[in-house]
Amino acid sequence: MSVIPFSQALRERTRSSHGDSAGATFMSDLMTGKGSRDDYIALVAQHYYIYEALEAAALRFADDAVASPFISPQLTRLPALELDLDYLVGPDWRDAHPPVPATTRYVDRITEVADEGWAGGFVAHHYTRYLGDLSGGQAIAKIMQRQFGFETNGVAFYIFDQIASPKEFKETYRDQLDSVEWDAAERERVIDEVLLAYTFNTDLFIDLAAAKAAA
Ligand code: HEM
């Protein structure tokens, strides 16, 4: 019998894909001062479409026994993204920033998982985004604030003002992952879905870099 908690297995099995996402040139340029304010804005807009799908899916799973313990209003990001885009671009931000192909694939997959009612798949997407926002996202926000002179406007997405301790929140989240009664096959499927979610995030950075090069 394996004694490794699921949350730990998940983290270990996805570590290299996490590295691919975090290390994508578009992202690492932003983190090292080689990216522009417009690059950052382009990313915020793509986040909007992704969270629109994710948070619509959360409504779909609100009463699901497996998924609902993960869903919390403290996490909801769409209003913050709206505020950021309004501040950074203005109300017509969608015209300048339609979804790139990777975002469309990402959104379609989240919607498909929700339509199927697959709780494990939803949790996979929920985990990949929100635990990331509560982890590396906190460092990203600080660097964007420093680089582009933002206070809270423009980086509201990263500020979870209803979560006092991201560290404790993540610990509770991992306990919840460990307590779901998924069998080994379902755990594999969930890990595969997280790997897929990382691929979408990496592809998103590739698409944003390509759009920038073409501009
Ligand atoms: C510059 C970009 C990034 C940096 C610097 C970064 C950094 C980190 C760090 C340091 C952790 C570990 C925190 C901890 O142990 O509590 C972490 C965890 C995580 N990151 Fe990232 N990250 C980046 C991008 C991303 C992206 C693009 C995603 C996917 C959307 C992502 C998803 C996650 C997830 C899901 C975790 C939690 C892993 C776990 O504990 O199970 N990260 N990140």
Side-chain angles (χ1 to χ4, degrees), residues 7 10-11 14 18 21-23 27-28 31 106 127-137 139-140 170 174 177 194 197-198 201-202 205:
S7 60
L10 174 61
R11 186 182 354 193
T14 59
H18 177 275
S21 272
M27 193 68 231
S28 64
M31 295 295 277
Y106 197 175
Y127 158 85
T128 309
R129 284 300 338 176
Y130 296 112
L131 245 62
D133 301 333
L134 288 166
S135 304
I140 296 171
K170 285 189 285 178
R174 291 190 189 105
L177 282 172
V194 171
Y198 276 120
N201 281 284
T202 306
F205 295 138

Side-chain angles (χ1 to χ4, degrees), residues 11 70 126 182-183:
R11 186 182 354 193
F70 294 93
H126 191 275
W182 284 319
D183 63 17

Side-chain angles (χ1 to χ4, degrees), residues 9-118:
L10 174 61
R11 186 182 354 193
E12 286 170 9
R13 293 266 304 276
T14 59
R15 182 167 289 146
S16 131
S17 294
H18 177 275
D20 291 344
S21 272
T25 305
F26 183 87
M27 193 68 231
S28 64
D29 278 359
L30 261 180
M31 295 295 277
T32 55
K34 288 182 229 143
S36 65
R37 193 176 188 274
D38 282 347
D39 294 344
Y40 172 70
I41 293 171
L43 178 59
V44 179
Q46 300 305 311
H47 281 157
Y48 184 92
Y49 300 113
I50 295 162
Y51 284 79
E52 190 174 39
L54 193 56
E55 292 177 3
L59 292 177
R60 156 75 180 75
F61 287 102
D63 297 321
D64 182 277
V66 168
S68 62
F70 294 93
I71 299 168
S72 147
Q74 297 159 286
L75 290 173
T76 306
R77 295 292 88 201
L78 210 53
L81 284 164
E82 265 175 54
L83 283 175
D84 285 341
L85 286 161
D86 206 38
Y87 169 76
L88 295 165
V89 190
D92 297 332
W93 64 267
R94 281 172 191 268
D95 299 340
H97 300 280
V100 297
T103 298
T104 301
R105 292 198 298 278
Y106 197 175
V107 162
D108 286 352
R109 179 58 188 162
I110 293 169
T111 307
E112 184 177 49
V113 161
D115 288 349
E116 282 172 7
W118 179 31

